[in-house]
Amino acid sequence: MTATDDNYKAATARSSANGLQSLLTSETFLYIVKRVLQGLLTLLLASALSFAIIQLTPGGFLALLDLNPKISQETKEQYIALFGLKDPPIVQYFKWLWQVVTQFNFGLSFTYFRPVSSLLLERIPATLLMSLTSIILTWAIAIPLGIVSAVKQNQFIDKFFRVISYIGQGFPSFITALLLLILAQNVSPLLPVGDMTSINYSEYSPIGKVLDIAWHMILPTIALTVTSFAGLQRLMRGQLLDVLRQDYIQTARAKGLPENKVIYVHALRNAINPLITLLGFEFSSLLSGAFIAEFFFNWPGLGRLILQAVTAKDLYLVMGSLMMGATMLIIGNLLADLLLKAVDPRIKLEDLK
């Protein structure tokens, strides 16, 4: 081995070490570590509070067993021994917490006799598919309409879009879902009434299966989008109007910049920041915010599962769902902060709360 090779390896090692040191000391990395540690503490406090609230609610799984005459006393004792329901609540909580930390095991569902983790993972894809589609559709509709409405302020098209947003916000999700169900029944079989797939789904080709799921997604996705896009459209309009009144926008126009460049390069970049923050909350609601649409359209997602768990007093399934929702909120807020930093480099991460 020559001296040149040795020098090249030494230089490469020094470069890698410097790169690693720069990464570990960078503002973004330190901020992520700080937020992750804060998130873990938040999850611990949230789990303790949630467990206490569930224990304080009237009734419980044992009370439901006592009301069922078909369940013998021997079966009840087996339930009690299996789930440790006679232990003090504080003991139950720390046993559950220990197995979550050491094994990532959220316990066994009282109702399904299956691990909570497998139940949640089984339902996540269906809810994610519908919710992500709804978010993409919401932003694809609301942002352009909000921009047009702001640029054409007080003109006919602005007033028309504002009326649409008022109507959209005025309809609760369950009313929208009911109206869409009525529509589906009247035009059947043009639109499916419910479920995620058709009866003969297994007989379809791969492309046919994708199209069948997309066909069944039409109504629940519309039900989620109608009430979401209206508020986002009004927020986009208000933010852009506020930015367009700023002095630097008037200066850009005075310099003779094209109006499209003023709006889409200078104004929109600053107006979009508050909307990016909303993405954090939308991300956290992806897995649980669609339960109304899932309930009405019989969609096999997490919303229906969580509702059944609460009704059946399924302690560990409820806890697993709450922890997943809290985790999504923490991750969503972190992603929103990092996205804000990427969109506007002037923002300092330490200033974000």
Side-chain angles (χ1 to χ4, degrees):
M1 183 177 293
T2 63
T4 303
D5 292 335
D6 290 339
N7 293 335
Y8 175 76
K9 289 185 176 180
T12 303
R14 286 195 299 269
S15 177
S16 300
N18 292 335
L20 180 60
Q21 183 179 5
S22 300
L23 173 65
L24 295 177
T25 56
S26 66
E27 177 193 17
T28 302
F29 179 80
L30 294 176
Y31 180 76
I32 292 175
V33 171
K34 176 184 175 182
R35 290 293 297 271
V36 168
L37 294 177
Q38 290 176 345
L40 292 175
L41 178 60
T42 301
L43 287 176
L44 177 62
L45 297 176
S47 67
L49 181 61
S50 299
F51 200 94
I53 292 175
I54 294 172
Q55 293 291 341
L56 291 174
T57 55
F61 188 70
L62 286 179
L64 294 179
L65 292 181
D66 293 334
L67 294 175
N68 192 342
K70 296 181 180 180
I71 298 180
S72 63
Q73 185 61 34
E74 181 181 354
T75 303
K76 295 177 185 177
E77 294 296 333
Q78 291 176 353
Y79 274 106
I80 293 171
L82 178 63
F83 299 114
L85 298 177
K86 283 300 184 182
D87 293 335
I90 188 69
V91 175
Q92 293 184 43
Y93 170 72
F94 279 108
K95 282 184 177 180
W96 174 83
L97 182 63
W98 177 253
Q99 67 185 18
V100 170
V101 174
T102 58
Q103 307 171 28
F104 200 68
N105 178 12
F106 287 88
L108 199 66
S109 168
F110 296 173
T111 308
Y112 296 94
F113 292 99
R114 289 177 54 191
V116 169
S117 302
S118 68
L119 282 170
L120 296 177
L121 290 174
E122 186 180 272
R123 300 292 188 98
I124 284 175
T127 299
L128 274 179
L129 178 63
M130 183 173 61
S131 299
L132 283 173
T133 304
S134 174
I135 286 181
I136 293 172
L137 188 60
T138 297
W139 281 67
I141 295 174
I143 299 302
L145 292 187
I147 293 173
V148 172
S149 189
V151 173
K152 305 293 184 180
Q153 184 185 13
N154 294 328
Q155 297 182 24
F156 172 77
I157 193 169
D158 176 34
K159 295 177 181 178
F160 177 71
F161 287 156
R162 285 161 64 185
V163 170
I164 291 178
S165 68
Y166 291 141
I167 294 174
Q169 284 192 306
F171 275 96
S173 298
F174 68 92
I175 296 294
T176 305
L178 281 175
L179 292 176
L180 290 173
L181 276 178
I182 295 173
L183 173 65
Q185 290 174 345
N186 290 330
V187 301
S188 180
L190 183 61
L191 290 173
V193 177
D195 291 326
M196 185 176 176
T197 57
S198 301
I199 297 176
N200 53 344
Y201 173 79
S202 59
E203 302 174 3
Y204 293 158
S205 65
I207 296 178
K209 290 180 177 180
V210 172
L211 293 177
D212 185 62
I213 293 176
W215 182 54
H216 283 79
M217 283 177 56
I218 293 175
L219 293 182
T221 302
I222 291 176
L224 285 177
T225 303
V226 166
T227 53
S228 300
F229 94 91
L232 188 63
Q233 175 193 335
R234 294 184 63 190
L235 181 60
M236 180 72 256
R237 177 183 182 275
Q239 290 294 327
L240 188 56
L241 282 176
D242 184 60
V243 172
L244 288 174
R245 298 188 185 102
Q246 301 299 316
D247 292 339
Y248 69 91
I249 296 296
Q250 305 303 325
T251 302
R253 283 171 171 164
K255 289 182 178 179
L257 290 178
E259 186 66 13
N260 285 342
K261 188 173 183 179
V262 172
I263 294 173
Y264 295 106
V265 176
H266 296 279
L268 186 58
R269 175 177 292 183
N270 292 287
I272 204 74
N273 285 353
L275 278 73
I276 293 175
T277 306
L278 288 179
L279 278 177
F281 296 99
E282 290 188 352
F283 186 76
S284 67
S285 64
L286 276 179
L287 303 181
S288 58
F291 78 94
I292 293 179
E294 291 179 3
F295 177 77
F296 279 96
F297 295 99
N298 200 31
W299 189 267
L302 278 171
R304 289 173 56 202
L305 180 69
I306 296 171
L307 182 62
Q308 293 167 0
V310 172
T311 304
K313 307 290 185 180
D314 197 336
L315 173 63
Y316 298 131
L317 185 53
V318 174
M319 285 296 298
S321 304
L322 291 174
M323 289 302 96
M324 183 175 57
T327 302
M328 295 293 285
L329 179 61
I330 293 170
I331 294 175
N333 287 333
L334 175 58
L335 291 177
D337 289 347
L338 296 178
L339 189 57
L340 273 175
K341 174 66 174 177
V343 171
D344 191 349
R346 297 172 301 173
I347 295 177
K348 294 184 178 181
L349 289 174
E350 61 267 20
D351 294 335
L352 298 175
K353 302 296 183 182

